[in-house]
Amino acid sequence: MTIATGPPLPTHHTPVALVRGFLTGGVVGTSLAALVVGGIVENVPLFVTGLVLPAVYGLLFFLAGMPRRAREAAVVPRTALAMIESLEAVGGESSDIPVRFELTVAPDDGPAYRVEITQDINLVDLTDYRPRGVVVVQYPPDRAWRVRIVKRPTPEWEGRVASARLDSAPATARVAAPPEGCVFGFVVLLGLLLGAVVVVLLFRADLFDRDDTAKSPSATQPSVSSTSSTTVVSSASGTVALGPDLSFLDKGELDRAVGSLTSGGDALQALTVVVQERLLSVVFSPTGTQTPGFDPRALPYDRFPALVEEATTTLGVHSPRTWQIIADRLTGSLTIRVVVTGAEGTASLEADGQGKVVRRAPAR
C-alpha cells in the first residue's frame, strides 16, 4: 500500500484551555497559601478553606466537563488496521501488565501514521501480539493519537486481519498529543502566584502583627532570656542554651537547667534527654499516651562529667571534636549513652539509670 505523510497536528492553545489552566493554578496557589497562613496565624476557617477549596474546584471541574465528555462518548470511533512495529512490557505485577506498543496505523480513508501507546494486556494473551503482526485498532476521529487495540474484533475485521499486508509508516509520520507548551505553563504559574499573593495580602496584618509579637520579649511567655542562658519550653519539648563561657559539665548547671524545664508541671515525663556542651534538649511524652517515658529529674547528672571523661579518654578518640549524652527508655529500661566523635571515628559507651557503665564501643 502507499504510505503518505499527513500534516502535523496543531499545537495551539484555545482560550478555554488557557483559562482553565489559570484557574487551576490559582486554586492551587490559594489553597497552599491558605493552609500555610492559616496555620501560622491560627485562623481555623482559613485553614479549612485551604483543605476544602481543591475538593470543591475538582467537583465543579468534573461537572463542567460532563457535557464535553458526553459529546466525546457520542462520537463513533474510527476502526482501522495497524501493524505492530515493536512492543515492550513496562511493568506490572498482576495478570494485566502495561505494554508499550509502537504501531503503524493504516486508516481506510487517510494516510498511514506511526503512534506509540501503552495498553494493559493479559499475560495469557501476550503471545498473540508480536512484531509485524496486524491488529485492529480504534481511535477518535479528532484525536488520532488516542489509539486502543481492539482485543475482540468483529468477524469482518478478523477476516481483514488474516489477509492484510501492511508496510511500515516512516518515522516522520509519527503523531502524538499536542504539547502543552510554554504559554500554558506560564498561565498556570501566574495563577498559582496570584492566588498565593492574594491570600498573603488579605491576611498581612495578622502575619505582621504576629511577627512583631514574636520579636517582643514581654509577649513571649514560654521563653526566658538572660546573659548566661536561654530557655524555651513548650508542651512538646524544651531546650536550654548556655552562653559561650559555660558548659553543662559545670557543677549544678544540668540540675538548674532541668529544673527550669520541669517547673511548670511536676508530672512531666520525658521521651529523650540530649545533653551537649552548651545545649540541653528534652522531648516530653505526650499526655495520655502509653509511651515509655521517664522523669528527667531522676537522671544521675552528677555522673555525667565522669562518663564524658571516660568516653573521651579511654575509647580511642584522642582528639574529640564533639560529644553528646542521650538518655531514653526506648528499649524498656533507662539507658544513658555517651557518643564521642573525633578524627579517629565515633566511639560510645552505655550506662544504666544509676550511671554505671555496662557497655563500651571503641572508635573504629
Side-chain angles (χ1 to χ4, degrees), residues 5-336:
T5 302
L9 292 171
T11 59
H12 65 275
H13 302 290
T14 64
V16 174
L18 296 179
V19 171
R20 186 171 64 245
F22 179 80
L23 290 177
T24 301
V27 169
V28 173
T30 302
S31 177
L32 292 176
L35 290 173
V36 174
V37 175
I40 294 175
V41 303
E42 299 179 356
N43 188 321
V44 176
L46 179 62
F47 189 85
V48 173
T49 299
L51 295 175
V52 174
L53 183 61
V56 174
Y57 177 76
L59 177 61
L60 294 177
F61 186 84
F62 174 79
L63 294 176
M66 290 182 64
R68 175 182 55 82
R69 290 191 297 272
R71 290 193 301 270
E72 292 177 355
V75 175
V76 178
R78 289 184 179 177
T79 305
L81 296 179
M83 183 177 65
I84 300 175
E85 300 287 349
S86 63
L87 70 160
E88 177 188 6
V90 293
E93 299 178 355
S94 61
S95 58
D96 291 335
I97 62 173
V99 179
R100 183 184 297 119
F101 290 92
E102 177 86 11
L103 302 175
T104 287
V105 181
D108 291 340
D109 55 353
Y113 62 91
R114 282 205 183 201
V115 67
E116 183 178 287
I117 66 169
T118 299
Q119 184 169 335
D120 290 344
I121 301 296
N122 192 282
L123 285 172
V124 177
D125 301 328
L126 192 58
T127 56
D128 296 337
Y129 303 94
R130 61 192 184 280
R132 309 299 298 177
V134 178
V135 294
V136 180
V137 298
Q138 288 184 336
Y139 59 90
D142 57 342
R143 295 184 298 280
W145 59 89
R146 294 184 58 177
V147 174
R148 306 301 295 170
I149 296 176
V150 180
K151 298 180 181 179
R152 293 176 177 81
T154 63
E156 176 187 355
W157 282 99
E158 285 183 345
R160 293 187 59 178
V161 168
S163 60
R165 297 293 182 269
L166 303 181
D167 297 331
S168 298
T172 54
R174 181 182 301 273
V175 300
E180 296 292 355
C182 298
V183 177
F184 186 81
F186 175 78
V187 296
V188 172
L189 179 60
L190 180 62
L192 190 148
L193 294 177
L194 287 179
V197 168
V198 167
V199 174
V200 173
L201 290 178
L202 288 176
F203 293 89
R204 64 186 183 279
D206 294 335
L207 288 171
F208 296 153
D209 289 346
R210 187 177 181 86
D211 291 341
D212 294 340
T213 302
K215 295 177 182 179
S216 175
S218 61
T220 312
Q221 297 180 2
S223 300
V224 180
S225 301
S226 67
T227 57
S228 59
S229 65
T230 301
T231 303
V232 179
V233 186
S234 70
S235 60
S237 64
T239 59
V240 178
L242 296 179
D245 298 328
L246 299 176
S247 170
F248 276 120
L249 297 182
D250 297 339
K251 185 176 180 179
E253 286 294 342
L254 273 173
D255 289 325
R256 285 192 291 270
V258 173
S260 67
L261 296 180
T262 58
S263 59
D266 297 335
L268 285 178
Q269 295 287 297
L271 288 177
T272 59
V273 173
V274 180
V275 182
Q276 300 178 21
E277 185 74 42
R278 288 187 293 273
L279 182 65
L280 166 67
S281 302
V282 180
V283 178
F284 296 115
S285 176
T287 305
T289 62
Q290 300 297 324
T291 52
F294 60 93
D295 187 352
R297 298 169 299 181
L299 292 175
Y301 294 114
D302 57 335
R303 286 280 301 150
F304 281 17
L307 293 176
V308 173
E309 176 70 18
E310 180 175 350
T312 55
T313 57
T314 66
L315 299 180
V317 182
H318 305 296
S319 304
R321 297 172 182 167
T322 61
W323 61 264
Q324 66 175 352
I325 304 173
I326 306 168
D328 58 54
R329 280 191 56 194
L330 299 179
T331 58
S333 58
L334 183 60
T335 303
I336 302 171

Side-chain angles (χ1 to χ4, degrees), residues 310-317 338 340 346-349 360-364:
E310 180 175 350
T312 55
T313 57
T314 66
L315 299 180
V317 182
V338 184
V340 181
T346 300
S348 65
L349 61 81
R360 297 174 177 82
R364 48 180 170 172

